[in-house]
Amino acid sequence: MQKAFDIGLDSLLADKSAAEAVFVTGAPHRGTFYLETFGCQMNEHDSEKVAGVLLSRGYRQVDSVEAASFVLYNTCSIREKAAQKVFSRLGEFRDMPGEPKKIGVLGCVAQQEGEKIFHRSPWVSLVCGSASYSKLPELLAQLEAGEKRVTGLDTDTDETFETELTRRDNPWRAYLTIIEGCDKACSYCVVPYTRGPERSRSSDSVLRELRQLAELGYTEVQFLGQTVNSYADPSPRKMKFSELLQAAAEMPGMRRVRFTTSHPRDFSPDIVEAIEGDTRICNHVHLPVQSGSSRVLRAMQRTYSREEYLEKIAMVRNAKRPIAVTTDIIVGFPGETEKEFEETLSLLEEVKYEGVFSFKYSPRPNTPAQSMPDAIPEEEKSRRLAILLKLQRKIQTEANEKSVGKMFELHVEGKSRKENQWSGHTSCHRVVNFSSPQPNLLGSYVRVRVSGATPNCLIGDHAP
Ligand code: 5AD
Ligand code: SF4
């Protein structure tokens, strides 16, 4: 079998149809697969690895359900809407004409609903949660041998999912999972149930994969984990998370190292020191706060108060190098009073986040918050969300306007259909759309002077 990363850089740099170009020598031809992913970056990256497993078994990736003999959905259940989407997709196969297809459900809905999926959608033949992905080759072998229904639903595991081949979709930024699962117990969250307990990869294995990525030509990596900074090296080397960031930054060829998502409780000064000390470690942290009210934070079991969170923010804001901070907020948690919601607004005013992802609370199965009293009506949640979005828009507009005239280094990731128009990210993860007459900028690093701003992006010109 072809080894990991033997795919030439050219195929990685092409668009999604690169999958078609991947040729795995020695594997039998087993048909075609279509894989659709819902949810977070962890899911996106899991799918890249699942695709790698399928490709190395001799399946070929196609980009439509119609063209596929095997259809897989990698699902998300963080909020109810995401979970519902999958069931509507599965429903489409009820009366689908033509050859029956093999259907697989992966990810968080698979873990949460388990074998119930077979009852609801009897045409499904594979149900597998992320904690069982390392068993995928075995499960696929069972399906290929003619078994009608196979499952991978254990979460009681200390294994992480490592593949020989990863079919990377993003040619500019490589994702690399360093820790899977979650040991926190936020009262609203399904993740500890669907992704299982925390498991960290050994630092050697992380750095080996990183070296392969650098050799392939990647210059930017993003470490992933539900609580990435809770990383605990299981090997005798016992590298701290901040040391792993430093080692990654020192990898020849790497120019940018990112990480997401950080948990405030484990966000320690050495992480800030690492960012201060090495410009290859990106000056952006995603530090979800969820609420600005200490009472609500306690009910959410977040393990910190508003004041403790603000101490972490002060540590970041006092760094020698400016560090951008983004966050996640949940509005309308059960029992959240108007005053408590206003505490969240005042926190936004105080921190002045560079970006906020905000959500209406959605009750999830098996979570303690699901049975909490004083649910907030849907319209009230929508009202609070709209107020919060408006405030954050104002904060971002003001901050972005202050960036006019400044210079940023961008990693160019997009080319607009409009001539001479490009886009990229700054180290602090702002999107900048800019003009340049130069050809072939994709993947390169350029200096751009900001000439204008909108709430969500900056506008600039390539500086000579
Ligand atoms: N309802 C609404 N938002 C949620 N999140 C997690 N669980 C829920 C829920 N039940 C949000 C949190 C988390 C982000 C990934 O999704 O803000 O940080
Ligand atoms: Fe969910 Fe909390 Fe774990 Fe994040 S830290 S995945 S919100 S339980």
Side-chain angles (χ1 to χ4, degrees):
M1 188 171 59
Q2 182 160 329
K3 275 283 176 211
F5 309 108
D6 274 0
I7 311 172
L9 189 57
D10 284 348
S11 65
L12 279 162
L13 299 187
D15 62 7
K16 284 212 173 205
S17 64
E20 306 267 5
V22 174
F23 179 62
V24 182
T25 45
H29 292 288
R30 297 199 197 265
T32 49
F33 73 97
Y34 170 78
L35 171 57
E36 184 175 353
T37 309
F38 302 87
C40 62
Q41 247 156 19
M42 292 281 288
N43 261 16
E44 291 286 347
H45 182 47
D46 282 345
S47 286
E48 294 180 334
K49 293 195 274 186
V50 168
V53 171
L54 286 156
L55 289 164
S56 41
R57 289 190 73 79
Y59 292 87
R60 191 166 58 83
Q61 191 166 7
V62 292
D63 56 13
S64 72
V65 169
E66 293 70 33
S69 55
F70 193 6
V71 177
L72 296 115
Y73 295 111
N74 188 2
T75 63
C76 169
S77 69
I78 197 107
R79 284 169 291 275
E80 199 186 346
K81 262 201 191 134
Q84 276 168 353
K85 249 192 229 160
V86 179
F87 286 107
S88 84
R89 286 286 197 287
L90 290 178
E92 290 165 14
F93 294 90
R94 188 183 301 275
D95 302 311
M96 192 173 273
E99 273 285 288
K101 298 175 191 295
K102 241 185 280 170
I103 315 288
V105 181
L106 308 174
C108 291
V109 175
Q111 191 65 52
Q112 187 185 291
E113 299 294 316
E115 303 204 352
K116 278 190 266 170
I117 295 178
F118 294 134
H119 306 304
R120 193 163 168 176
S121 310
W123 44 89
V124 171
S125 49
L126 168 70
V127 174
C128 181
S130 67
S132 304
Y133 287 163
S134 49
K135 298 206 185 72
L136 264 181
E138 276 164 56
L139 300 176
L140 291 169
Q142 289 169 15
L143 280 180
E144 288 151 12
E147 276 192 48
K148 293 280 172 279
R149 286 178 176 176
V150 299
T151 55
L153 293 169
D154 266 358
T155 50
D156 182 19
T157 177
D158 53 9
E159 281 185 35
T160 52
F161 178 35
E162 299 184 29
T163 50
E164 283 199 70
L165 184 88
T166 297
R167 225 290 285 158
R168 295 183 189 274
D169 286 327
N170 186 328
W172 319 121
R173 184 187 299 173
Y175 295 96
L176 203 165
T177 301
I178 65 164
I179 172 169
E180 293 178 19
C182 181
D183 275 355
K184 308 284 186 286
C186 303
S187 60
Y188 50 80
C189 187
V190 281
V191 168
Y193 308 92
T194 59
R195 284 190 169 268
E198 237 168 61
R199 288 103 57 204
S200 293
R201 279 174 68 181
S202 76
S203 50
D204 277 353
S205 144
V206 169
L207 293 172
R208 202 176 320 123
E209 185 170 347
L210 192 69
R211 178 162 300 115
Q212 289 167 325
L213 290 168
E215 282 164 8
L216 265 176
Y218 281 99
T219 58
E220 179 167 336
V221 69
Q222 180 156 359
F223 285 163
L224 296 179
Q226 225 72 46
T227 54
V228 73
N229 58 325
S230 310
Y231 177 78
D233 186 0
S235 71
R237 216 170 159 186
K238 292 259 170 292
M239 257 193 169
K240 280 171 35 178
F241 174 64
S242 57
E243 291 167 343
L244 189 64
L245 290 177
Q246 188 59 56
E250 283 162 14
M251 182 68 67
M254 276 298 150
R255 291 187 58 161
R256 283 187 176 182
V257 179
R258 302 185 177 280
F259 55 97
T260 199
T261 292
S262 296
H263 192 284
R265 200 192 65 191
D266 299 331
F267 196 79
S268 46
D270 52 316
I271 303 174
V272 176
E273 282 157 24
I275 300 174
E276 277 178 332
D278 194 323
T279 53
R280 293 169 295 191
I281 304 177
C282 289
N283 54 343
H284 167 223
V285 291
H286 185 59
L287 204 58
V289 64
Q290 313 298 359
S291 166
S293 146
S294 292
R295 209 263 331 145
V296 174
L297 287 170
R298 236 181 355 263
M300 287 178 164
Q301 288 166 213
R302 285 294 288 179
T303 70
Y304 53 83
S305 63
R306 175 190 174 105
E307 290 68 32
E308 283 160 343
Y309 179 86
L310 285 173
E311 280 169 23
K312 305 277 176 176
I313 292 292
M315 187 168 88
V316 176
R317 293 295 194 210
N318 289 334
K320 293 188 202 96
R321 184 176 160 218
I323 300 175
V325 194
T326 54
T327 202
D328 292 344
I329 303 270
I330 297 176
V331 298
F333 187 77
E336 183 190 65
T337 63
E338 183 66 25
K339 204 163 149 280
E340 287 164 345
F341 168 62
E342 282 165 11
E343 288 184 69
T344 297
L345 298 178
S346 78
L347 185 97
L348 293 197
E349 296 262 28
E350 192 166 340
V351 177
K352 298 214 188 305
Y353 290 104
E354 278 75 6
V356 171
F357 299 88
S358 46
F359 312 99
K360 290 191 272 184
Y361 168 71
S362 165
R364 306 308 297 130
N366 304 320
T367 60
Q370 189 193 21
S371 49
M372 285 183 184
D374 304 322
I376 308 296
E378 216 38 48
E379 325 73 89
E380 179 56 18
K381 287 189 220 171
S382 302
R383 188 188 70 88
R384 291 181 189 180
L385 187 68
I387 294 171
L388 187 142
L389 286 170
K390 191 167 165 216
L391 170 64
Q392 182 58 24
R393 201 180 159 83
K394 186 186 89 171
I395 292 169
Q396 275 176 222
T397 307
E398 283 167 13
N400 283 353
E401 278 166 1
K402 282 195 198 134
S403 300
V404 174
K406 288 194 182 151
M407 296 277 275
F408 286 100
E409 186 193 62
L410 300 189
H411 187 187
V412 186
E413 291 147 9
K415 184 179 187 332
S416 159
R417 260 186 234 115
K418 275 196 250 152
E419 217 181 323
N420 299 339
Q421 289 296 316
W422 307 83
S423 70
H425 277 98
T426 62
S427 169
C428 60
H429 214 228
R430 285 157 115 168
V431 175
V432 185
N433 296 326
F434 69 100
S435 58
S436 171
Q438 286 191 25
N440 308 329
L441 286 179
L442 284 176
S444 66
Y445 289 80
V446 299
R447 279 164 66 75
V448 163
R449 184 182 300 281
V450 175
S451 57
T454 72
N456 292 316
C457 78
L458 301 174
I459 297 152
D461 301 298
H462 192 169

